[in-house]
Amino acid sequence: MKVLVINCGSSSLKYRLIETDNKSVICKGLCERIGIGGGHFKYEITGSDKGYEKDIEFPDHNVAVDALIKAITDPDTGVVADVSEIGAVGHRIVHGGDKFTEATLITPDVMDIIEECSDLAPLHNPANIQGIRSCLKVMPDTAMVGVFDTAFHQTLPEKAYLYGIPYECYEKYGIRKYGFHGMSHEYVSKETAAIMGKDIKDVKSIICHLGNGASITAVDGGKSVDTSMGYTPLDGIIMGTRCGSLDPEIVHALVEKTGKSLDDVMHILNFESGVYGLSGYMSSDMRDIRDAYREGNEAAIRAYDTYIYVIVKYIGSYMAVLGGADAITFTAGIGENSSSLRKHVCDRLKGLGVEIDDEANENGKGARLISREDSKVKVYTIPTDEEMSIALSTVEVLKKQGKA
Ligand code: AMP
């Protein structure tokens, strides 16, 4: 089945048309600067040079969806004759609260619940909803499926998702750990079991999604049992610009000591902290930090060492949560590409049965084992593919509905 995957941000729309039968990407692209002027459209076709880029003004998401549908159905440059060839549209939805435990067919009732969840993700869910509405305008008869960043983590036990605050805060306001990057953690944990040649039910894995945003998840038998991001994606490990977990009293202290407003302090914690802030605003990009670290730059060493330390701490604690892990898997921009980071993390986990294979870690491409064969805990690097995960989940939903 051909599934159109849509990932809508407030001013951008990423799309990918996937043939799920053979897990191949037919085309992909991006509509940038929606609603802010200076719009730009990108369209790439797998195995063809007919793709193009051009400036198009996108006053709203409807115009962006129109542009992408026009591109993929165009008689010259298109990849389908008609939108009816698209079996379904899979929409990435950032927050499903505790209402959605799996990908879900979108109905008017489901739309209402996603709107209710906007409270929990005010920057993301409204854009996701807009994406669904825009697609429905041009494809009113095509099935729309919502795939939630939070759904995979709905298996967390209560003891893992509750915070140590009055229980009524959870009951009244839904304040609990939700977890994010669910599509990536689900996909990579499945791929980890597959590469091990094991049934996922028999595998305890720790998935390290280390990109600009980053989270670590403990997966037991295919179920997320704990994850580092929390009520929001600000929690957990140190990230490119996000602070990760900290003593909540620090927020109070920063407001008092800097004289800044609460909103300004939250801006610092989201956009000026993490590796970027720790390095003295050098860079949020791990490549820059790593290069400066190698040159002996003190600020880079401070940021890098702190980053590695926190990752090691989370992996160690999740080994305890799982009662021992069979596998640790690194994924996303940093996890897939930085062999030095993987080595620095794994070397500190030697005492817990992790033996990296330097040769396999340094050389080779794509999904592979990077620990020694006799390592008690196997280590892998596996490229994540959130869009493929969305497309496959979309087909699963349609199958359950008897529509595929
Ligand atoms: P993502 O958010 O998954 O796209 O990851 C983006 C991050 O991956 C960038 O900010 C870089 O820090 C990091 N990255 C990409 N390539 C490399 C590399 N070769 N070595 C280290 N970090 C990398």
Side-chain angles (χ1 to χ4, degrees):
M1 177 190 289
K2 289 184 179 62
V3 175
L4 179 63
V5 174
I6 298 284
N7 184 356
C8 245
S10 54
S11 63
S12 69
L13 185 156
K14 284 188 212 150
Y15 65 94
R16 193 169 282 208
L17 185 63
I18 292 178
E19 176 50 74
T20 55
D21 294 347
N22 60 7
K23 295 190 186 174
S24 67
V25 176
I26 300 169
C27 69
K28 63 179 180 182
L30 176 63
C31 306
E32 290 174 293
R33 300 187 60 85
I34 300 171
I36 52 177
H40 192 68
F41 180 72
K42 285 186 190 163
Y43 174 52
E44 231 178 90
I45 308 167
T46 307
S48 159
D49 56 9
K50 283 193 167 175
Y52 55 84
E53 281 189 37
K54 65 176 173 184
D55 291 337
I56 303 180
E57 281 307 317
F58 300 122
D60 56 35
H61 287 78
N62 293 339
V63 182
V65 170
D66 282 346
L68 88 86
I69 293 296
K70 193 162 167 258
I72 64 178
T73 57
D74 184 278
D76 281 339
T77 58
V79 287
V80 289
D82 190 80
V83 283
S84 63
E85 277 186 45
I86 300 170
V89 184
H91 293 267
R92 178 193 202 148
I93 316 277
V94 168
H95 221 306
D98 52 12
K99 306 283 191 285
F100 297 102
T101 55
E102 56 187 1
T104 305
L105 186 71
I106 290 171
T107 61
D109 287 348
V110 167
M111 282 291 268
D112 289 345
I113 303 172
I114 298 172
E115 289 216 72
E116 279 170 29
C117 295
S118 287
D119 202 23
L120 294 163
L123 295 179
H124 297 99
N125 275 30
N128 301 154
I129 291 165
Q130 186 53 51
I132 298 168
R133 293 216 170 101
S134 300
C135 286
L136 276 170
K137 273 206 167 113
V138 268
M139 293 176 269
D141 301 323
T142 309
M144 303 280 149
V145 172
V147 186
F148 302 87
D149 261 291
T150 47
F152 182 58
H153 302 299
Q154 279 298 305
T155 48
L156 255 60
E158 188 183 57
K159 62 191 170 202
Y161 70 67
L162 284 181
Y163 291 109
I165 55 175
Y167 187 63
E168 64 176 12
C169 297
Y170 164 60
E171 290 182 305
K172 280 190 190 161
Y173 314 120
I175 294 182
R176 51 158 285 178
K177 179 184 284 245
Y178 289 102
F180 297 87
H181 290 142
M183 276 89 79
S184 176
H185 288 295
E186 181 174 12
Y187 178 82
V188 176
S189 57
K190 281 182 181 160
E191 291 293 304
T192 299
I195 203 171
M196 294 177 91
K198 289 192 173 180
D199 188 324
I200 193 158
K201 291 201 173 66
D202 303 324
V203 177
K204 293 174 185 228
S205 60
I206 297 172
I207 310 301
C208 306
H209 177 111
L210 308 177
N212 233 335
S215 64
I216 301 184
T217 296
V219 183
D220 192 349
K223 291 193 161 77
S224 170
V225 293
D226 206 346
T227 191
S228 60
M229 281 179 169
Y231 177 62
T232 72
L234 187 57
D235 197 8
I237 65 170
I238 289 171
M239 297 170 232
T241 63
R242 286 176 241 167
C243 60
S245 305
L246 42 78
D247 177 350
E249 197 57 49
I250 292 168
V251 177
H252 188 208
L254 284 175
V255 168
E256 249 181 26
K257 290 179 196 297
T258 64
K260 289 183 192 286
S261 68
L262 181 58
D263 279 354
D264 286 345
V265 166
M266 292 314 295
H267 188 272
I268 292 173
L269 300 180
N270 272 290
F271 300 104
E272 295 171 22
S273 297
V275 168
Y276 176 64
L278 274 168
S279 66
Y281 312 122
M282 180 189 293
S283 175
S284 63
D285 192 307
M286 196 46 73
R287 285 165 289 204
D288 301 334
I289 299 295
R290 181 201 53 201
D291 293 347
Y293 173 92
R294 286 181 182 153
E295 286 162 10
N297 180 293
E298 265 183 41
I301 293 171
R302 178 175 65 222
Y304 190 76
D305 283 349
T306 313
Y307 182 66
I308 302 274
Y309 179 76
V310 174
I311 294 171
V312 168
K313 214 160 63 164
Y314 264 95
I315 294 177
S317 72
Y318 286 170
M319 281 185 160
V321 163
L322 291 167
D326 302 307
I328 297 169
T329 303
F330 291 91
T331 192
I334 303 169
E336 288 165 33
N337 294 304
S338 181
S339 55
S340 53
L341 175 126
R342 296 192 299 253
K343 177 162 174 59
H344 283 125
V345 169
C346 290
D347 279 352
R348 285 164 178 77
L349 293 166
K350 258 191 181 157
L352 296 175
V354 178
E355 293 278 353
I356 195 148
D357 177 333
D358 289 333
E359 170 70 25
N361 182 42
E362 284 298 330
N363 304 308
K365 272 198 156 201
R368 65 190 189 279
L369 179 73
I370 56 166
S371 60
R372 288 181 15 190
E373 285 291 347
D374 60 353
S375 179
K376 194 167 150 228
V377 182
K378 301 285 186 285
V379 186
Y380 299 91
T381 173
I382 297 181
T384 191
D385 194 338
E386 290 175 302
E387 287 79 10
M388 188 61 71
S389 182
I390 293 171
L392 297 176
S393 297
T394 298
V395 174
E396 282 307 307
V397 170
L398 295 195
K399 276 189 184 155
K400 276 188 203 155
Q401 303 271 332
K403 294 184 178 171

